[in-house]
Amino acid sequence: MSGLEDEYRLSAGLPRLIYVKSPAPERDPRLTQMLARIKDDAEVSYQHFADPAELQQLVENDLAVLLSERFEATRSGAGAADEGPVAGAVPVPPTPLLGREQEIAAVEELVVGEGVRLVTLTGPGGVGKSRLMLAAARRLGPGFADGARFLELASVPSADLVAAAIAAGLGLNTTAGRLITDLESYLRPRRLLLALDNFEQVIGAAPLLAELLGAAPGLVLLVASRTVLRLTGEHEFPVPPLPVPPTGAARDPADLQRYASVSLFVERAHSVAPDFQLTSANAGAVAEICRRLDGLPLAIELAAARIRLLPPQALASRLDQRFSLLTGGARDLPERQRTLRNTLDWSFDLLSAGEQAQFARLGVFAGPFSLAAAEAVCPPDAGPASGPGQMMDTLASLVDSSLVRAETRGGEPRFSLLETIRDYALERLAGGGDWGPAHDRHADYFLALAEPSEAELAGPGQLPWVGRLETEHDNLWAAMSWLVEQGHLDQATHLFLMTWRFWWLRGHLAELARLGDDIAAGSADLPAYQRALALTGPGFILIANGDLARARTMFEQSLPLYRQTSEKLAVVLNATVMAVLGHLAATRRDYAAASKLLNESQALAQQSGDGDLTGYGQLQQLLTVALADNFLGQVRLNQADNDAAARLFTDGLTVARRAQDQIPILVSLYDLGLSSQAQGDLAGAAGHLKEGLAMAAEAGDETSAAYYLEALAAVAGQQDNPQRAVRLLFAARSQLEASGSGWLQAYVPRAPHDDAILATLRARIGDAAYEEARAWGGSIGSRQARQYALE
């Protein structure tokens, strides 16, 4: 190809003025052929000249015409368009974009600050990719000589029609044969921002974008897509959901409205119900709605539109049926955005059949999950693509499609689904035939995962094991719930028996209460030993939750059942139940009955330790001995026999350290702190309590740490440091308000902390100093409070 012919092809879409010297007897034959082809082009001005003067006149005349026709359009940045509406102009949304200033600025920095030419805004349907892209395009447009253009691709049926859609959107008149060439020629000299929406359904056209970027150095692309393009130079910008109030956040309307999700709900609700206001009465329900809808703007807007019929409290209670509730979007929205289900259907339909099946199975995961968990719960389908790497490929595709989120934790990949997307996956799973098997595989996997090894039962391995279970908390809960729901009470009870230390130390006992009731209620037909276990586990939950009467009934029912079985562990658990019944008798001030039960428990536990117990049974035996020592010591402390109490607490700590078990160590150190205080050894008391506080903090046991702060406050008061006492008491109160009551308060005598104590401290230091200490303790974080207490 000659240089002349190359220049001619590159000029497609521009004014082309051809001047041919005539006569020209020595013209190359190939040039003559090329000119003949050009002459037939209706879009070309083709004229002859004989000498330079004639050529000058032709050029001057043509330039005058060209400038008069093109000047205004070129000055306004509209490219080849004539006067009138600019083709592909960026639309102005009818409602303001809320809570996205940070993201708009980040996109602007990518384009202006870092020179990125292809930014793909990704995220699940309804997260607000299109609105964010439009806002960014309008912000960036004035910085481009040829402005910004916008093109909606949702109606383009296939990838091979994207080039024609872009050309039409830019106002170009071209033919199919020269489509790409004409597009490149049009874009090459321009400094233009092009925003493309809904690219996920024409993802096969991604190479076209790379070709256009290569041909036009002044072109910048913003692309909204549920799927990444996987092009060189692409910068993915995941669009996050709007921030939502955390669980337990204060219900102050002014505080809550600082969260963009709440602000969006209020603004949209007010637009359909002008008298709607965020108040202290409905703020909690609005926050719950925003949390349950994952901060997805579309879902929040659809929910707010229901305010005309349902107040926030009623709306929040119906979110379990969110796909039938969240319908009826604005009529000027695309059909796919008129309901929440339509939005997710759009993404689901873009998946292959195999990806659809695996996505539905992933709905059984109630929280983040590992690749190994996904492979166990979602076995590969038969076929040529099946194999050990199939799940990884499927997850990669689902992540690219914004249906699954990926993160790295501890150097390992973790995956999760937003709650809204998970509900949709479960709905799809329920429509197929894999509902029961998928949940069974999920429960089997986490039942095996939770089983501690010998090294994890106690000692240095216990806390890493607890931390591992915390990572899997939501899935453990879901697995146990499924086992109970399906009547597999023996497996559910075994799971609780193996993992109860985790539920206690990490403050999750309250959520197990309902499951405990279901396990106990359904245990009547179980064999004696299994039924005893099914009563004991819920009994411990009831004690921690303060329902001592029901707990006592369950423990009393379990005792004869343990005695009917020959299981080796049954003897140890029988002793454990007797120790707890003795403790419950002591809380009723029936010290005689308490002492009798606790002495019998000690003897039985010691006897069981003479056998061949290993692993869990051995640890349970040591736990029982340590607890019986402590419970007996508490009886002696209540009877003012401080020396005997101290000896029993010391024996309990010795056994607990031998077991290397966090639970009895925390009980023993707390009790020793109280007995040392009762004996007047304040330094010794502070030492025991500080050791326990540090251990509770290391275990992530926030509530136990708060009780240790209370006990240290009592010591500070006796050490004539009332200001420190007030600070620690209010720090403990703040921490307990945030994390709940926990388990330790059910098994130790709680240090004084009531209003009478505070009134005494106020009188000692005066109102001003008291208020300063109260404010300090109530506002400091838990970690800073522990650091202060350990000084």
Side-chain angles (χ1 to χ4, degrees):
M1 183 185 295
S2 70
L4 282 174
E5 185 174 4
D6 187 44
E7 289 292 331
Y8 174 78
R9 293 192 177 189
L10 291 175
S11 68
L14 300 174
R16 293 192 281 195
L17 312 178
I18 308 298
Y19 305 96
V20 183
K21 176 73 164 60
S22 181
E26 298 180 1
R27 180 176 293 135
D28 188 284
R30 289 175 300 170
L31 180 55
T32 301
Q33 295 170 4
M34 187 188 90
L35 290 173
R37 293 196 300 271
I38 291 175
K39 191 173 182 179
D40 295 331
D41 191 339
E43 296 180 3
V44 171
S45 171
Y46 189 101
Q47 301 192 64
H48 295 273
F49 69 93
D51 54 43
E54 186 177 2
L55 176 61
Q56 177 181 340
Q57 185 176 4
L58 290 172
V59 171
E60 287 176 349
N61 292 339
D62 286 338
L63 286 178
V65 173
L66 176 67
L67 288 172
S68 67
E69 291 179 347
R70 301 286 175 171
F71 180 76
E72 287 298 324
T74 303
R75 185 180 65 176
S76 67
D82 295 325
E83 294 183 5
V86 177
V90 179
V92 180
T95 56
L97 181 62
L98 301 176
R100 291 300 195 189
E101 185 57 38
Q102 185 176 347
E103 286 82 3
I104 295 171
V107 173
E108 185 177 22
E109 173 61 22
L110 285 174
V111 174
V112 177
E114 300 182 26
V116 176
R117 297 179 57 214
L118 173 58
V119 180
T120 305
L121 289 79
T122 61
V127 81
K129 300 181 296 297
S130 301
R131 289 295 304 273
L132 176 59
M133 183 180 69
L134 287 174
R138 294 188 65 81
R139 175 85 63 88
L140 289 163
F144 286 77
D146 295 291
R149 307 285 191 88
F150 169 78
L151 183 61
E152 165 65 72
L153 296 174
S155 61
V156 178
S158 62
D160 57 357
L161 296 177
V162 170
I166 294 176
L170 293 173
L172 299 182
N173 293 317
T174 185
T175 61
R178 297 195 308 270
L179 189 56
I180 306 299
T181 301
D182 287 353
L183 260 179
E184 292 177 352
S185 298
Y186 173 79
L187 293 171
R188 182 174 292 105
R190 287 174 166 76
R191 175 71 176 152
L192 177 71
L193 176 75
L194 182 57
L196 303 174
D197 198 14
N198 290 290
F199 203 86
E200 64 275 350
Q201 63 149 1
V202 289
I203 199 69
L208 168 66
L209 302 188
E211 193 173 343
L212 296 179
L213 287 169
L219 176 64
V220 171
L221 295 176
L222 296 184
V223 180
S225 174
R226 303 185 191 187
T227 304
V228 292
L229 309 186
R230 295 197 174 278
L231 294 176
T232 302
E234 176 186 20
H235 187 107
E236 182 186 3
F237 186 89
V239 178
L242 295 175
V244 300
T247 302
R251 298 190 176 189
D252 179 73
D255 288 340
L256 287 179
Q257 202 149 350
R258 287 200 288 265
Y259 291 93
S261 56
V262 175
S263 180
L264 176 64
F265 182 94
V266 172
E267 193 274 336
R268 298 298 189 261
H270 185 71
S271 69
V272 299
D275 58 342
F276 176 81
Q277 291 184 346
L278 189 69
T279 67
S280 57
N282 64 27
V286 171
E288 176 68 13
I289 291 168
C290 294
R291 277 193 299 270
R292 293 284 306 279
L293 296 179
D294 302 304
L296 291 173
L298 175 63
I300 291 171
E301 292 187 6
L302 292 172
R306 291 295 190 186
I307 286 297
R308 280 179 294 193
L309 301 175
L310 297 171
Q313 293 86 343
L315 186 59
S317 68
R318 287 168 169 78
L319 285 183
D320 286 340
Q321 295 83 40
R322 68 187 71 191
F323 295 113
S324 58
L325 178 69
L326 302 182
T327 62
R331 289 189 176 91
D332 57 345
L333 286 175
E335 182 62 31
R336 67 181 184 282
Q337 294 180 359
R338 297 280 300 279
T339 73
L340 187 58
R341 178 182 280 109
N342 285 354
T343 298
L344 294 174
D345 282 344
W346 174 269
S347 293
F348 185 79
D349 291 341
L350 296 174
L351 302 176
S352 68
E355 291 168 345
Q356 290 177 347
Q358 296 291 49
F359 166 71
R361 292 171 185 143
L362 292 176
V364 301
F365 288 104
F369 54 91
S370 65
L371 174 61
E375 290 173 333
V377 175
C378 308
D381 296 319
S386 64
Q390 185 195 40
M391 194 64 229
M392 174 61 87
D393 293 341
T394 299
L395 282 171
S397 177
L398 294 174
V399 169
D400 286 349
S401 300
S402 302
L403 290 170
V404 171
R405 298 187 295 178
E407 63 179 18
T408 300
R409 185 181 300 176
E412 295 294 328
R414 301 281 293 177
F415 306 91
S416 63
L417 283 71
L418 293 175
E419 182 181 346
T420 299
I421 294 177
R422 179 185 178 235
D423 284 352
Y424 178 81
L426 286 172
E427 187 178 272
R428 287 286 185 173
L429 184 65
D434 204 23
W435 176 268
H439 281 86
D440 286 341
R441 292 191 298 267
H442 177 272
D444 289 344
Y445 178 82
F446 285 100
L447 191 63
L449 182 76
E451 191 89 22
S453 66
E454 287 281 344
E456 292 171 332
L457 275 171
Q462 190 178 73
L463 288 185
W465 171 73
V466 168
R468 175 162 59 86
L469 295 193
E470 180 64 45
T471 301
E472 307 291 355
H473 162 256
D474 291 335
N475 283 305
L476 283 173
W477 165 258
M480 191 175 293
S481 299
W482 173 258
L483 292 172
V484 173
E485 179 184 325
Q486 298 302 304
H488 303 314
L489 301 185
D490 53 342
Q491 290 178 292
T493 303
H494 177 76
L495 181 57
F496 176 78
L497 190 65
M498 292 295 103
T499 61
W500 68 269
R501 286 172 176 80
F502 155 68
W503 300 100
W504 282 36
L505 288 171
R506 289 305 177 94
H508 299 309
L509 272 180
E511 64 197 65
L512 286 179
R514 179 183 59 81
L515 283 182
D517 286 341
D518 291 343
I519 290 173
S523 65
D525 296 330
L526 292 176
Y529 179 59
Q530 295 294 336
R531 186 172 183 226
L533 292 176
L535 292 169
T536 302
F540 279 112
I541 297 171
L542 289 171
I543 290 179
N545 290 335
D547 193 346
L548 304 187
R550 288 183 61 209
R552 178 186 175 188
T553 299
M554 287 190 179
F555 283 127
E556 289 175 342
Q557 290 175 347
S558 70
L559 272 181
L561 297 171
Y562 281 125
R563 293 165 183 165
Q564 293 175 24
T565 177
S566 59
E567 291 280 347
K568 294 177 183 177
L569 187 57
V571 179
V572 179
L573 292 174
N574 187 18
T576 305
V577 169
M578 292 176 66
V580 177
L581 284 171
H583 173 64
L584 292 177
T587 63
R588 302 191 304 273
R589 300 186 182 277
D590 187 353
Y591 296 132
S595 296
K596 180 176 183 297
L597 283 165
L598 289 167
N599 284 320
E600 291 177 0
S601 170
Q602 278 187 319
L604 189 59
Q606 295 286 3
Q607 173 189 338
S608 66
D610 297 334
D612 54 352
L613 289 172
T614 59
Y616 186 89
Q618 195 172 63
L619 180 63
Q620 188 67 31
Q621 185 262 341
L622 293 173
L623 169 69
T624 303
V625 173
L627 288 180
D629 282 335
N630 276 277
F631 294 155
L632 266 175
Q634 291 168 14
V635 171
R636 301 296 174 258
L637 194 64
N638 284 322
Q639 295 172 328
D641 189 350
N642 297 334
D643 292 338
R647 287 193 299 273
L648 285 163
F649 293 150
T650 300
D651 290 344
L653 180 59
T654 300
V655 175
R657 291 197 193 282
R658 179 182 160 201
Q660 301 184 72
D661 190 349
Q662 297 279 325
I663 299 290
I665 292 176
L666 286 173
V667 171
S668 299
L669 287 171
Y670 189 96
D671 283 342
L672 267 172
L674 296 187
S675 68
S676 297
Q677 188 179 358
Q679 291 173 309
D681 181 8
L682 300 184
H688 292 309
L689 295 173
K690 287 181 178 181
E691 182 183 353
L693 174 61
M695 180 174 286
E698 183 185 11
D701 188 352
E702 295 285 341
T703 54
S704 294
Y707 294 126
Y708 272 98
L709 291 178
E710 286 181 348
L712 282 166
V715 173
Q718 283 189 279
Q719 289 174 329
D720 200 26
N721 195 341
Q723 183 187 49
R724 179 178 174 85
V726 174
R727 287 182 170 187
L728 291 175
L729 280 174
F730 276 99
R733 179 174 293 186
S734 175
Q735 192 164 315
L736 288 170
E737 287 174 353
S739 56
S741 59
W743 65 273
L744 187 63
Q745 55 89 26
Y747 294 94
V748 296
R750 190 171 176 183
H753 61 283
D754 57 18
D755 291 342
I757 294 294
L758 291 171
T760 300
L761 291 170
R762 178 191 283 270
R764 289 173 63 184
I765 63 176
D767 290 343
Y770 177 89
E771 289 300 327
E772 182 279 329
R774 180 192 64 79
W776 187 94
S779 61
I780 195 170
S782 59
R783 187 175 67 174
Q784 291 86 348
R786 292 194 295 267
Q787 289 173 344
Y788 175 74
L790 292 171
E791 292 174 359

